[in-house]
Amino acid sequence: MGQPCIVMSLLKQIISEEKESGRLADFSGDSFGFLPEPPAALAAKTDDIVDIPMIVGWTSEDSSWVVPDPEGDGLTYQEFSNALQMSIGTTYPSDQVPALYQKALVHYNMTDPSGLTPYDIRSVGIDISTDVTMKSFIVKEARQFSKAAAGSGAHVFVYEYRHRPSYSVNPAWQLVTHMDEEGMCLGLPNGPSDLSYPQTSHHDRHVSELMTTWWSNFAKYGTPSPDWPKFGHRQDDQQILVIRPQPEVKQFDDHEPVVLWTGSSGLDE
């Protein structure tokens, strides 16, 4: 169960050694030379910024793939604790890890794991990993974009993808994990490439038809569907689209993890 942790530790060590040797330097800016000026200089020219609409989202168990359970038998509390601290440590400075770790235990009701099975503990680990690496920052970004683009006509639309593809090769316990919606957005192509989906179900094809229609409408009109409400930066306009064979609009109300992991809600007070 500790293999992913070992891999991450080795990667950190390799990167650190490469930087110290001078073979790998910290970089920022336009490493491909495509931009006329450095990104920071371009970002400072706020008068030249053109707001464009945006679709952002996550899968319901987006970061289940990083949870260290190759045997599929759940997590012990110690394994959960180690994985949580490593997850926090890959995102935040080391001096912030202890405090964030303790806050996470309180928020996710994991200070006392008695009564929880290894599968329960793994489920909480999936929730935390998805919050800290994906969902909280996507929601915060969407709120900030909505606020910055207010009045421009450029809106942001947020989704949570909940359909597990029939062709998924991931362990069943990972449920709907990172990039599971990729084939759906592309129309489930069947060609000579890595992005080929020769075996699909009725539900797969139905979800794909929905998504390709929404994404096409968005590209043409700046809005995916009249039934998909725009996402805003006030408490009363936090609706997202849940994508599955029977899609639904729901109110996003999981605000506390956004504050915990990003430092603020991003909502208008």
Side-chain angles (χ1 to χ4, degrees):
M1 293 185 181
Q3 184 177 7
C5 298
I6 295 173
V7 172
M8 288 300 297
S9 297
L10 288 173
L11 284 174
K12 285 185 175 181
Q13 180 181 347
I14 291 170
I15 291 172
S16 176
E17 291 175 354
E18 290 294 297
K19 285 182 177 179
E20 290 178 2
S21 69
R23 291 188 295 267
L24 178 65
D26 289 320
F27 66 91
S28 61
D30 179 25
S31 58
F32 294 100
F34 291 151
L35 301 178
E37 296 180 55
L42 292 172
K45 298 181 178 181
T46 55
D47 292 340
D48 297 333
I49 292 178
V50 177
D51 295 308
I52 60 173
M54 179 170 67
I55 292 179
V56 293
W58 59 89
T59 65
S60 49
E61 290 81 28
D62 208 304
S63 296
S64 58
W65 67 278
V66 305
V67 174
D69 186 14
E71 290 87 2
D73 57 357
L75 298 182
T76 67
Y77 188 70
Q78 186 61 55
E79 289 167 337
F80 162 83
S81 175
N82 293 342
L84 174 56
Q85 292 182 73
M86 175 160 286
S87 181
I88 297 173
T90 59
T91 308
Y92 301 91
S94 58
D95 61 339
Q96 296 182 22
V97 172
L100 282 170
Y101 171 74
Q102 292 300 325
K103 289 180 180 179
L105 293 182
V106 172
H107 173 75
Y108 294 94
N109 297 315
M110 289 297 287
T111 54
D112 179 11
S114 58
L116 296 178
T117 69
Y119 303 108
D120 295 330
I121 295 173
R122 182 182 66 193
S123 180
V124 176
I126 292 173
D127 289 342
I128 296 178
S129 294
T130 298
D131 282 347
V132 72
T133 61
M134 299 295 295
K135 184 165 71 172
S136 296
F137 290 94
I138 291 172
V139 169
K140 178 72 167 290
E141 177 188 27
R143 291 169 176 172
Q144 291 176 323
F145 177 90
S146 172
K147 186 180 298 186
S152 69
H155 303 303
V156 58
F157 302 90
V158 178
Y159 69 86
E160 180 177 85
Y161 180 83
R162 288 192 188 176
H163 172 65
R164 179 179 168 92
S166 65
Y167 50 80
S168 176
V169 297
N170 297 312
W173 63 264
Q174 292 187 4
L175 302 175
V176 188
T177 192
H178 188 60
M179 297 292 287
D180 269 353
E181 76 272 44
E182 179 183 51
M184 306 297 170
C185 294
L186 297 172
L188 297 174
N190 184 13
S193 71
D194 293 336
L195 297 177
S196 180
Y197 307 89
Q199 301 295 327
T200 59
S201 70
H202 167 74
H203 289 310
D204 294 337
R205 294 188 291 274
H206 176 61
V207 171
S208 180
E209 183 175 350
L210 290 172
M211 294 191 72
T212 53
T213 298
W214 290 329
W215 263 243
S216 297
N217 286 342
F218 177 76
K220 289 186 288 187
Y221 309 119
T223 180
S225 166
D227 300 323
W228 188 340
K230 63 181 182 292
F231 190 84
H233 51 91
R234 298 186 302 274
Q235 191 83 37
D236 60 352
D237 60 1
Q238 294 289 290
Q239 290 183 306
I240 68 174
L241 181 69
V242 178
I243 299 178
R244 54 191 178 192
Q246 296 298 323
E248 66 170 333
V249 172
K250 77 166 189 175
Q251 184 75 13
F252 180 83
D253 56 7
D254 199 14
H255 304 300
E256 290 185 12
V258 180
V259 176
L260 172 63
W261 299 119
T262 75
S264 67
S265 70
L267 291 167
D268 284 354
E269 301 297 336

